[in-house]
Amino acid sequence: MLSTEEERIMRQIERGLRHDDPWLGRHLAMVRMRALSRRRGARVCLVMELAFVVLTVAGAVCGLPALLMLGAGFGVLVPMVALACWLPPPDPPDGSPLPPLMLGWW
């Protein structure tokens, strides 16, 4: 675990690298996407997504609106939740030198 000073230095280094190479972020994203194929969770989500597509098609063919809505709804929801869980959290801004406000007083 890094200290706050070490984390700040790491963020500065990363910002410098991104400034020097604008394609660095895209390259890192592609490396992460290639690694997803080896994750078990990604494969499970893919199978679930295919099942929801089958439910949607079956609901459309059979004329069952409940099945159609169930398949389409979860077919959209599952990838959005998976994407939100797998993306790294955004970098926090560098800390303010002032202490946080406590009940309106410094």
Side-chain angles (χ1 to χ4, degrees):
M1 186 169 198
L2 300 174
S3 69
T4 55
E5 180 65 22
E6 291 171 331
E7 288 179 11
R8 186 185 63 77
I9 291 171
M10 292 293 286
R11 282 195 303 270
Q12 285 178 347
I13 291 171
E14 184 177 353
R15 282 188 200 120
L17 287 172
R18 288 180 189 268
H19 179 71
D20 291 343
D21 184 11
W23 293 97
L24 178 68
R26 290 184 184 99
H27 174 73
L28 293 177
M30 289 305 297
V31 169
R32 282 183 56 86
M33 291 303 288
R34 286 186 197 127
L36 274 180
S37 65
R38 292 186 289 274
R39 288 187 177 172
R40 183 178 183 183
R43 288 180 281 188
V44 168
C45 283
L46 180 63
V47 168
M48 288 172 55
E49 187 65 26
L50 291 175
F52 291 134
V53 168
V54 168
L55 276 178
T56 305
V57 170
V61 169
C62 296
L64 299 171
L67 195 60
L68 180 67
M69 289 181 357
L70 180 74
F74 281 111
V76 171
L77 183 66
V78 168
M80 288 177 20
V81 170
L83 186 64
C85 291
W86 280 326
L87 287 179
D91 291 335
D94 288 334
S96 171
L98 299 175
L101 282 173
M102 300 174 96
L103 301 174
W105 298 92
W106 290 106

